[in-house]
């Protein structure tokens, strides 16, 4: 796999001005997605995952936010300073998006076929017939049994899983280099979720499409992602290959997320939710944002830890003053 980032976010901080202050939604986030790579961002509700995915595509309403530092680059385009025209070319061209609620992403009053061929014709100079053929072949790839009749149906006539497969087919129809998927299967039941993720992954591998995959679900990360970033209160707390992070988590927050998972817990161990809540993002502490919930906190945690490799020869990084302690706990 080549090491060219299709997306790179460098030291990005975003805040939302609110009455008498600001919600600091992202605080110095750096991440990248290489060509063909599937990269997860995982964290609890409110950790800043959607702000990251929306910002990467510049979809936050103009004037609602401030970029206080950092930059974003997609295939060489400076996203923060890009015009709306540039962004429109990028969206649905080199970059496609899949969101959680497929019903809102499809127009309820138009048949699937017309919606698909419209998008395909807009981005790829194909005539109606060729666009229809491409739509049929993509729906087949998504294991939709009768694509011709699916094209004749309205979104409400399809199940949630079918609708999401239509949206994935649509996302691939423009041959994107990057797909940003924000909780794409969260609304589906577990079996359908698994099926849809397998299809998404198979197609991405076939076309060498990179995916930035946003989820709150560690079990999904374990099945789907090559690498993962763990986010907490708008900061990254751990990063590495899925294997490194899930099999040897170093940050107490990551360990807490894992302990809350029935699928990944070691037999006999107890499932536990992480006690406490995400801090108020308009009043973040100067030090580690997780300290108030952390079983291993010390005075040192009054300073903010930076994401650092756990030893010289590894890509596994953690932002914690006590990673060694966590290692002992892991044994
Ligand atoms: N327009 C806005 N104004 C003020 N605060 C906002 C705005 N948009 C997002 N936020 C805040 O930014 C923080 C991060 O939100 P975000 O939607 O990225 O969370 P998330 O990790 O995607 O959570 P979830 O898993 O629930 O989708 C939250 O505290 C949210 O309330
Ligand atoms: Mg979200």
């Amino acid at each position: 796999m080549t090491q060219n980032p299709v997306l790179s976010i460098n030291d990005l901080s975003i805040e939302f001005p609110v009455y008498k202050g600001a919600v600091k939604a992202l605080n110095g986030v750096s991440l990248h997605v290489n060509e063909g790579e599937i990269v997860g961002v995982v964290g609890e509700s409110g950790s800043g995952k959607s702000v990251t995915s929306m910002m990467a595509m510049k979809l936050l309403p103009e004037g609602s936010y401030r970029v206080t530092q950092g930059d974003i680059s997609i295939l060489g385009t400076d996203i923060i300073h890009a015009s709306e025209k540039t962004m429109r070319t990028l969206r649905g061209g080199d970059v496609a998006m899949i969101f959680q609620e497929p019903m809102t992403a499809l127009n309820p009053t138009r048949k699937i076929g017309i919606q698909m061929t419209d998008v395909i014709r807009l981005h790829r100079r194909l005539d109606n017939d060729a666009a229809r053929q491409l739509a049929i072949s993509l729906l087949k790839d998504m294991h939709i049994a009768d694509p011709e009749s699916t094209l004749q149906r309205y979104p409400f006539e399809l199940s949630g899983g079918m609708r999401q497969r239509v949206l994935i087919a649509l996302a691939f129809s423009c041959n994107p280099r990057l797909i940003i998927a924000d909780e794409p299967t969260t609304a589906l039941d577990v079996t359908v979720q698994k099926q849809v993720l397998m299809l998404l992954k198979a197609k991405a591998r076939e076309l060498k499409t990179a995916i930035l995959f946003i989820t709150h679900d560690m079990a999904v990360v374990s099945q789907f992602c090559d690498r993962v970033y763990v986010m907490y209160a708008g900061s990254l707390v751990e990063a590495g290959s899925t294997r490194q992070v899930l099999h040897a988590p170093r940050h107490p927050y990551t360990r807490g997320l894992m302990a809350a998972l029935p699928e990944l817990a070691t037999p006999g161990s107890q499932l536990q939710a992480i006690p406490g809540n995400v801090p108020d993002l308009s009043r973040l502490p100067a030090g580690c944002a997780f300290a108030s919930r952390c079983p291993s906190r010390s005075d040192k945690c009054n300073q903010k830890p930076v994401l650092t490799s756990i030893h010289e020869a590894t890509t596994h990084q953690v932002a914690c003053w006590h990673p060694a302690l966590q290692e002992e706990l892991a044994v």
Side-chain angles (χ1 to χ4, degrees), residues 103 107-109 112 153-159 163:
M103 202 56 202
N107 182 336
T109 65
I112 300 292
R153 293 160 89 179
Y154 289 96
F156 73 85
E157 297 178 274
L158 307 179
S159 69
R163 279 199 291 269

Side-chain angles (χ1 to χ4, degrees), residues 71-267:
D71 55 73
I72 303 171
S73 162
I74 294 183
L75 297 163
T77 300
D78 170 359
I79 299 298
I80 308 269
H81 298 106
S83 66
E84 187 47 33
K85 185 163 172 263
T86 304
M87 290 313 300
R88 271 203 300 268
T89 314
L90 212 53
R91 294 181 204 129
D94 276 334
V95 188
M97 284 158 293
I98 308 169
F99 294 111
Q100 177 174 351
E101 205 2 276
M103 202 56 202
T104 55
L106 290 165
N107 182 336
T109 65
R110 302 182 76 211
K111 288 180 178 172
I112 300 292
I114 295 171
Q115 298 197 50
M116 288 193 76
T117 48
D118 270 4
V119 170
I120 293 170
R121 290 177 60 198
L122 186 69
H123 291 280
R124 301 177 65 160
R125 292 186 192 103
L126 294 176
D127 64 25
N128 213 7
D129 238 20
R132 199 181 127 81
Q133 286 315 314
L134 179 60
I136 289 173
S137 113
L138 285 164
L139 290 179
K140 271 191 190 146
D141 288 347
M142 288 299 123
H143 290 199
I144 287 181
D146 189 356
E148 279 91 351
S149 82
T150 303
L151 293 180
Q152 297 305 320
R153 293 160 89 179
Y154 289 96
F156 73 85
E157 297 178 274
L158 307 179
S159 69
M162 287 263 277
R163 279 199 291 269
Q164 201 54 299
R165 282 186 280 162
V166 167
L167 279 187
I168 294 171
L170 255 180
F172 280 108
S173 69
C174 302
N175 233 341
R177 306 269 301 278
L178 172 68
I179 291 179
I180 298 178
D182 192 340
E183 306 270 13
T185 56
T186 304
L188 307 175
D189 72 55
V190 177
T191 324
V192 178
Q193 170 171 324
K194 223 176 193 164
Q195 260 171 9
V196 170
L197 286 178
M198 299 279 279
L199 292 168
L200 173 57
K201 188 167 181 171
K203 194 73 192 163
R205 292 294 195 231
E206 179 195 328
L207 300 178
K208 300 194 170 50
T209 315
I211 303 183
L212 180 70
F213 188 83
I214 308 285
T215 178
H216 64 277
D217 191 339
M218 277 291 200
V220 168
V221 169
S222 79
Q223 293 159 14
F224 191 72
C225 299
D226 302 318
R227 277 195 305 120
V228 61
Y229 293 92
V230 183
M231 191 173 255
Y232 183 76
S235 296
L236 296 176
V237 297
E238 186 153 2
S241 71
T242 300
R243 199 182 158 73
Q244 288 164 342
V245 174
L246 270 65
H247 289 260
R250 291 300 184 97
H251 199 284
Y253 177 62
T254 317
R255 296 177 60 79
L257 288 179
M258 305 287 299
L261 259 190
E263 296 89 334
L264 299 176
T266 39

Side-chain angles (χ1 to χ4, degrees), residues 2-10 31-37 73-76 177-178 210 227:
T2 50
Q3 295 296 302
N4 296 326
V6 282
L7 163 68
S8 88
I9 298 180
N10 303 302
L31 63 84
H32 67 278
V33 180
N34 289 324
E35 238 170 67
E37 214 184 9
S73 162
I74 294 183
L75 297 163
R177 306 269 301 278
L178 172 68
R227 277 195 305 120

